[in-house]
């Protein structure tokens, strides 16, 4: 048997059919130098379409989309946190107007981001459709015949055998089909091809990107998300007016809300008492009773963190927890104007140090009978460290609750019709109650204690504590499609990276001395050691079925060895 290496460089005019044998190992469109079209609308439109559907432009648009998402992550977005946007406007007088003009406070709904998104979508479709038809055509066809000179291919081996050429070709055809090659006989050679999963994966990756883009767009247009704080014993119905805050996609309508309601029966939270994880929640769950529809049967369930209640297309998540001190307020005549009402306060830290406002808007009169409104700036500590300690809770559970109040009277500003937060006290038209030293009147209260306001203005009693839970109700259409697209994109990308498209040819012809000459060669889409290794394995098996003929000088030929051409990996 003889070993043969491929020539270093094909000469012009030699082996014109080698280009056909090595072509179409990829369905990637050929990149041609752009030529300016003839003047005219159709010519320019055709040129623009070719540029838009080129792989270079698709990659450029994908890069621009990634860069466009950066300000959406770094700059507060009006659709996510409107308060943060307003705070940014107040702190940046120069940047805020510029950001407004550029649409950086609502990046994902801005004109420029939508333009990039749509162009990328069109570009991907323009790339995939012709590429898919080209690949289908390759699947329906057969591998091309062998080049005239197999020695010019990257991997090559040859030997002489006493077997007939027909027997060698039949054995080679059976062997290649057994190894899952698409193979057939063309003239004096067997042509085979393998690795179609590479192109399948490539196309699947790009199709998955389109699915993800469609799913993302659909979800953004029809999604909704709302938050609701619910005290123990209170309920919630899924209507727009029930939400504390609500945001939705542009095509979402109020009629798209799923009809359901639920009631918070009890919130249970336990925490690590000692160790490095002291204060970390061990149990964090809400016991609720819910019903679907106007007359649905009530069912009881437990909502935990990352274990939402799913009703039709909506999911109810447990997202927060806090405390609501129960207070009783009496006016200057001793009449109750707020009777054991729980007022929710917002937590400030992991130990649920909370703050908020208690507002008495109606029914209050001072000692002289004058109508006024009362406001209390409230701080609540579920575990107070004791006299002399800082106003910070020591533990998130209710161990030693303490309520601190700062007292004000006057006009709360709620009658002006301007919306205001229930957790903040507008002091612009309020006056401080003064103590005997002329300072702001304030007091720390334990459960059961009362704060008596100066000058017979009334009193506030701390009656107890009620817990509350915060829920987020979301509906994200097409999220399943987005997940399926992302998984398909990962598998498609893996196939396109790790599967190699390659071709193998086996030629068997009678030599001048009447002995059969067997030639085997392989060609891959890219240089890889796998093609020579695979060809060597196939040649070894075929050599056993068509062993080498004895030469004049040697009693037996050696085993076949594949010699890669210069430039191929060894």
């Amino acid at each position: 048997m003889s070993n043969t290496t491929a020539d270093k460089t094909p000469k012009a005019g030699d082996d014109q059919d080698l280009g056909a044998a090595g072509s179409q190992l990829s369905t990637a469109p050929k990149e041609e130098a752009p030529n300016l079209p003839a003047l005219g609308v159709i010519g320019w439109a055709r040129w623009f379409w070719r540029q838009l559907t080129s792989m270079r432009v698709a990659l450029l648009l994908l890069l621009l989309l990634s860069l466009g998402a950066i300000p959406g992550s770094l700059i507060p977005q009006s659709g996510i946190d409107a308060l943060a946007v307003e705070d940014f406007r107040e702190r940046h007088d120069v940047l805020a107007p510029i950001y407004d003009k550029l649409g950086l406070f609502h990046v994902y709904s801005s004109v420029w981001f939508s333009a990039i998104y749509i162009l990328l979508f069109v570009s991907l479709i323009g790339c995939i459709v012709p590429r898919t038809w080209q690949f289908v055509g390759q699947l329906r066809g057969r591998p091309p015949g062998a080049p005239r000179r197999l020695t010019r291919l990257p991997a090559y081996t040859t030997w002489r055998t006493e077997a007939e050429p027909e027997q060698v070709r039949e054995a080679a055809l059976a062997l290649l089909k057994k190894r899952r090659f698409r193979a057939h006989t063309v003239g004096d050679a067997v042509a085979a091809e393998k690795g179609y999963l590479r192109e399948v994966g490539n196309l699947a990756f790009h199709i998955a990107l389109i699915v993800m883009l469609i799913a993302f767009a659909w979800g953004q247009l029809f999604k909704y998300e709302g938050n609701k704080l619910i005290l123990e014993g209170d309920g919630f119905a899924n209507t727009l007016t029930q939400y504390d805050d609500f945001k939705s996609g542009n095509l979402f309508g109020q009629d798209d809300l799923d009809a359901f309601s639920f009631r918070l029966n009890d919130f249970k939270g336990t925490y690590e008492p000692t160790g490095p994880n002291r204060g970390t929640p061990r149990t964090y769950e809400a016991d609720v009773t819910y019903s679907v529809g106007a007359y649905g049967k009530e069912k009881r369930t437990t909502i935990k963190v990352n274990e939402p209640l799913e009703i039709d297309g909506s999911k109810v998540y447990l997202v927060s927890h806090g405390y609501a001190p129960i207070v009783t307020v009496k006016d200057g005549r001793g009449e109750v104007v707020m009777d054991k009402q729980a007022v929710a306060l917002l937590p400030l830290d992991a130990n649920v140090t909370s703050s908020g406002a208690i507002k008495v808007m109606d029914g209050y009169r001072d000692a002289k009978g004058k109508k006024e409104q009362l406001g209390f700036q409230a701080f609540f500590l579920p575990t107070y460290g004791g006299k002399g300690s800082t106003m910070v809770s020591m533990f998130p559970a209710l161990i030693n609750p303490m309520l601190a109040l700062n007292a004000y009277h006057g006009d709360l500003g709620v009658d002006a019709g301007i919306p205001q937060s229930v957790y903040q006290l507008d002091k612009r038209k309020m006056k401080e109650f003064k103590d005997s030293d002329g300072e702001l009147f304030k007091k720390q209260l334990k459960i059961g204690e009362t704060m008596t306001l100066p000058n017979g203005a009334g009193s506030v009693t701390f009656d107890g504590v009620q817990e509350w839970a915060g829920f987020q109700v979301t509906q994200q259409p097409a999220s399943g499609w987005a997940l399926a697209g992302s998984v398909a994109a990962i598998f498609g990308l893996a196939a396109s990276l790790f599967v190699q498209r390659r071709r193998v040819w086996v030629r068997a012809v009678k030599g001048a001395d009447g002995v059969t000459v067997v030639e085997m060669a392989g060609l891959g889409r890219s240089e890889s050691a796998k093609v020579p290794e695979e060809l060597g394995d196939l040649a070894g098996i075929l050599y056993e079925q068509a062993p080498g003929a004895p030469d004049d000088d040697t009693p037996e030929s050696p085993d076949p060895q594949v010699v890669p051409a210069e430039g191929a990996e060894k």
Side-chain angles (χ1 to χ4, degrees):
M1 172 193 170
S2 62
N3 300 329
T4 307
T5 61
D7 292 346
K8 295 181 180 179
T9 307
K11 297 179 181 179
D14 291 342
D15 297 332
Q16 296 297 324
D17 57 342
L18 179 58
S23 66
Q24 296 182 350
L25 279 173
S26 169
T27 57
K30 297 179 180 179
E31 298 289 347
E32 299 177 354
N35 296 320
L36 289 177
L39 294 177
V41 176
I42 296 178
W44 280 108
R46 188 175 300 165
W47 176 84
F48 177 78
W49 175 254
R50 288 174 181 171
Q51 299 306 308
L52 180 61
T53 56
S54 66
M55 191 60 63
R56 290 192 305 269
V57 173
L59 293 175
L60 178 61
L61 290 172
L62 190 60
L63 175 62
L64 290 176
L65 195 70
S66 302
L67 293 176
I70 293 177
S73 303
L74 301 179
I75 300 174
Q77 299 296 291
S78 56
I80 298 175
D81 194 344
L83 294 177
V85 173
E86 292 302 321
D87 180 65
F88 187 93
R89 293 180 194 274
E90 293 178 0
R91 291 185 292 106
H92 301 84
D93 297 335
V94 178
L95 283 179
I98 298 175
Y99 285 2
D100 275 324
K101 292 180 179 179
L102 296 177
L104 297 183
F105 289 125
H106 50 91
V107 168
Y108 303 110
S109 59
S110 63
V111 175
W112 58 269
F113 190 86
S114 300
I116 298 173
Y117 189 92
I118 295 172
L119 287 175
L120 177 61
F121 183 78
V122 174
S123 178
L124 286 174
I125 293 178
C127 289
I128 290 173
V129 172
R131 191 165 180 168
T132 301
W133 284 116
Q134 183 180 351
F135 182 60
V136 170
Q138 293 181 19
L139 290 177
R140 295 176 63 182
R142 291 185 171 187
R148 281 182 299 174
R149 293 189 183 183
L150 293 177
T151 56
R152 294 195 178 277
L153 296 182
Y156 173 81
T157 187
T158 183
W159 72 93
R160 291 153 50 87
T161 180
E162 293 180 345
E164 293 296 322
E166 293 79 6
Q167 296 177 347
V168 176
R169 289 194 290 268
E170 290 178 1
L173 184 63
L175 172 62
L176 291 169
K177 287 185 176 180
K178 186 178 180 181
R179 292 297 184 93
R180 298 189 300 277
F181 279 85
R182 294 180 66 214
H184 70 117
T185 303
V186 184
D188 58 1
V190 175
E193 188 172 1
K194 192 178 183 180
Y196 288 92
L197 278 179
R198 182 186 185 95
E199 299 306 327
V200 172
N202 205 348
L203 292 173
F205 172 74
H206 288 85
I207 293 173
L209 285 181
I210 292 180
V211 172
M212 292 171 62
L213 288 173
I214 294 175
F216 177 76
W218 190 269
Q220 291 297 311
L221 290 173
F222 291 94
K223 74 172 183 178
Y224 78 83
E225 178 182 299
N227 294 283
K228 179 63 178 179
L229 185 151
I230 304 177
L231 295 169
E232 288 178 331
D234 289 349
F236 166 79
N238 192 30
T239 59
L240 201 58
T241 56
Q242 288 275 301
Y243 285 99
D244 295 332
D245 61 83
F246 185 88
K247 51 181 177 288
S248 63
N250 294 334
L251 299 183
F252 175 82
Q254 188 172 349
D255 296 336
D256 296 330
L257 288 170
D258 295 321
F260 66 89
S261 61
F262 67 91
R263 181 178 65 257
L264 175 62
N265 302 318
D266 179 57
F267 177 86
K268 182 180 180 181
T270 59
Y271 309 89
E272 290 288 346
T274 58
N277 295 325
R278 185 177 185 272
T280 303
R282 298 176 60 183
T283 305
Y284 209 77
E285 58 189 35
D287 176 44
V288 300
T289 300
Y290 73 97
S291 62
V292 180
Y295 305 101
K297 183 179 179 181
E298 289 191 343
K299 300 178 183 179
R300 196 159 185 170
T301 189
T302 299
I303 304 176
K304 301 179 181 179
V305 177
N306 296 327
E307 295 182 18
L309 169 64
E310 298 188 27
I311 303 175
D312 295 333
S314 300
K315 294 183 179 181
V316 182
Y317 291 90
L318 174 63
V319 295
S320 59
H321 160 256
Y323 298 103
I326 302 173
V327 296
T328 298
V329 181
K330 296 181 179 181
D331 64 9
R333 299 173 297 177
E335 295 184 4
V336 177
V337 293
M338 179 180 286
D339 187 14
K340 294 184 179 180
Q341 183 171 330
V343 181
L345 305 182
L346 297 181
L348 302 175
D349 56 28
N351 287 327
V352 203
T353 303
S354 307
S355 70
I358 299 175
K359 302 179 182 181
V360 180
M361 295 177 284
D362 299 312
Y364 172 78
R365 292 177 182 269
D366 62 13
K368 299 179 180 180
K370 180 183 177 181
K371 288 184 178 182
E372 274 190 320
Q373 294 176 331
L374 293 181
F376 301 91
Q377 195 168 14
F379 296 91
F380 177 75
L381 282 62
T383 302
Y384 179 46
K387 187 176 181 180
S389 63
T390 59
M391 290 293 294
V392 177
S393 177
M394 301 291 104
F395 198 72
L398 285 172
I399 297 177
N400 183 27
M402 187 272 289
L403 176 65
L405 297 176
N406 300 338
Y408 300 86
H409 65 100
D411 184 3
L412 291 170
V414 296
D415 298 330
I418 301 175
Q420 62 175 240
S421 173
V422 297
Y423 306 106
Q424 294 180 344
L425 194 63
D426 186 356
K427 307 176 198 172
R428 289 177 296 179
K429 297 182 180 180
M430 302 291 289
K431 297 179 181 180
E432 299 176 351
F433 280 104
K434 301 292 184 178
D435 58 16
S436 57
D437 297 327
E439 301 293 334
L440 172 65
F441 186 77
K442 53 188 178 181
K443 190 172 183 180
Q444 297 177 354
L445 303 176
K446 292 186 176 181
I447 294 179
E449 293 183 346
T450 298
M451 178 176 74
T452 303
L453 298 175
N455 304 320
S459 64
V460 182
T461 303
F462 180 24
D463 295 309
V465 182
Q466 191 172 354
E467 296 187 62
W468 59 261
F471 296 90
Q472 185 178 80
V473 183
T474 65
Q475 186 180 68
Q476 187 74 35
S479 57
W481 284 100
L483 176 61
S486 61
V487 173
I490 293 173
F491 282 103
L493 183 61
S496 66
L497 292 176
F498 298 110
V499 177
Q500 184 179 15
R501 186 95 171 265
R502 63 259 191 208
R503 286 172 177 165
V504 172
W505 292 274
V506 181
R507 175 176 284 146
V509 295
K510 286 282 187 180
D513 55 358
V515 180
T516 301
V517 178
V518 181
E519 292 182 288
M520 293 185 69
L523 177 65
R525 177 179 176 179
S526 59
E527 294 181 357
S528 172
K530 186 174 183 179
V531 174
E533 290 175 2
E534 187 174 37
L535 186 68
D537 183 38
L538 294 170
I541 297 174
L542 187 59
Y543 186 82
E544 294 176 357
Q545 302 180 39
D551 294 333
D552 295 336
D553 299 331
T554 56
E556 184 177 359
S557 297
D559 290 339
Q561 297 180 359
V562 177
V563 181
E566 183 177 336
E569 296 183 19
K570 299 180 181 179

